[in-house]
Amino acid sequence: MRWAIAGALLLLAAAPANAADAPFDLAAWAMSLDPDRPATGEWVLYEGGPALETDVAGTLRTSLYAEDPLLPLVAVGELAAYGVPAGEEMLLEIARSEQWAGLDEDLQAEVVTALRTMRSGRALPVLGRIALSGDSDAAREAIRALCESSAPEAEPVLKAILAQGDRKAQKAVIRWLRKAGERDRAKDARQFRRADRREDRSERREDRREDREDRREDRKERRDERKDKD
């Protein structure tokens, strides 16, 4: 089941300015989620792959926290292969730790990508925090995960990203909603972003360019759909 974000986005766009400008309370949002199963929907998983053997778990934990820059990346790949729930435990542990902010940016992005590809439902609060953390590869990967997710619990974070006004982050929301097949939702997000921008000549040129890109994407998607049917 596709999760309905369109109504929420339209409500946000129509909301009074002071409501849209109100800061998003990330802590309150996280506290409102079920700590055991924070996300619902077909995308998220809570059961899956094999368990980690004790000696393997010890080796991967040591590698994940190693100073050698290559070992943690290898460990993340191995944990991603184990999937949910065995592989996600250590990844969530490091993403929630005080060390996270000081980690190499490539490692942060790999951790988020692993959580996304393994469809970790328990990662939703972590993904929400990282998606709102600023301009980084990890933040963009977290936005992608939220857009691909079927979890309605992710809607408030996507609304907050659009409301913050960061153009790169807004474009990431629009892009990944489109890639997830949510074209109508992506258009709603674009309309909200346009309403939040100044109406000068450069903005209008940008809007026209985006319209052309959307039409090209639509044509490409229709061609791909016809090929799949053939």
Side-chain angles (χ1 to χ4, degrees):
M1 180 187 298
R2 292 285 188 185
W3 54 284
I5 186 177
L9 290 172
L10 290 174
L11 283 174
L12 178 62
N18 59 350
D21 293 339
F24 176 63
D25 192 335
L26 184 65
W29 170 76
M31 289 293 292
S32 72
L33 303 173
D34 183 334
D36 297 318
R37 290 176 175 258
T40 59
E42 294 179 358
W43 185 87
V44 296
L45 294 179
Y46 292 98
E47 298 176 0
L52 277 170
E53 297 179 4
T54 303
D55 56 339
V56 174
T59 300
L60 289 175
R61 181 180 295 279
T62 300
S63 300
L64 188 61
Y65 290 91
E67 293 184 4
D68 183 327
L70 293 179
L71 285 178
L73 293 173
V74 172
V76 170
E78 289 295 312
L79 291 167
Y82 273 94
V84 173
E88 72 177 344
E89 183 177 354
M90 288 187 203
L91 297 178
L92 288 176
E93 176 187 289
I94 196 169
R96 292 166 176 158
S97 72
E98 295 180 357
Q99 297 168 261
W100 177 258
L103 293 181
D104 179 80
E105 290 187 6
D106 288 341
L107 179 58
Q108 289 181 339
E110 286 298 317
V111 170
V112 176
T113 299
L115 292 169
R116 176 181 63 80
T117 56
M118 68 173 59
R119 299 165 63 190
S120 169
R122 276 174 283 259
L124 184 67
V126 166
L127 294 172
R129 170 177 56 79
I130 296 171
L132 289 161
S133 64
D135 183 20
S136 67
D137 290 341
R140 285 186 285 274
E141 270 296 294
I143 290 172
R144 176 179 180 178
L146 295 173
C147 290
E148 291 179 352
S149 171
S150 62
E153 294 88 351
E155 292 179 16
V157 180
L158 292 179
K159 290 196 300 182
I161 292 168
L162 291 171
Q164 280 183 346
D166 181 275
R167 192 169 292 186
K168 287 184 179 179
Q170 290 173 334
K171 291 185 74 171
V173 171
I174 295 166
R175 177 189 180 194
W176 291 118
L177 284 175
R178 285 186 60 85
K179 293 291 186 181
E182 301 286 352
R183 283 179 285 187
D184 290 340
R185 278 75 169 180
K187 288 178 181 178
D188 291 334
R190 277 190 57 202
Q191 288 174 2
F192 173 76
R193 188 181 68 149
R194 285 181 178 180
D196 196 46
R197 285 165 22 182
R198 292 179 304 168
E199 287 300 323
D200 60 20
R201 186 176 302 172
S202 64
E203 298 291 359
R204 291 194 292 274
R205 282 199 300 267
E206 177 71 9
D207 288 343
R208 288 195 293 271
R209 185 187 64 79
E210 289 177 353
D211 285 336
R212 290 194 297 270
E213 288 180 355
D214 277 353
R215 288 194 292 270
R216 283 196 295 269
E217 285 285 339
D218 287 339
R219 288 195 295 270
K220 182 179 181 300
E221 287 168 6
R222 286 195 291 269
R223 285 196 302 269
D224 291 342
E225 288 172 1
R226 285 197 295 269
K227 287 179 182 178
D228 291 339
K229 290 179 181 177
D230 295 340

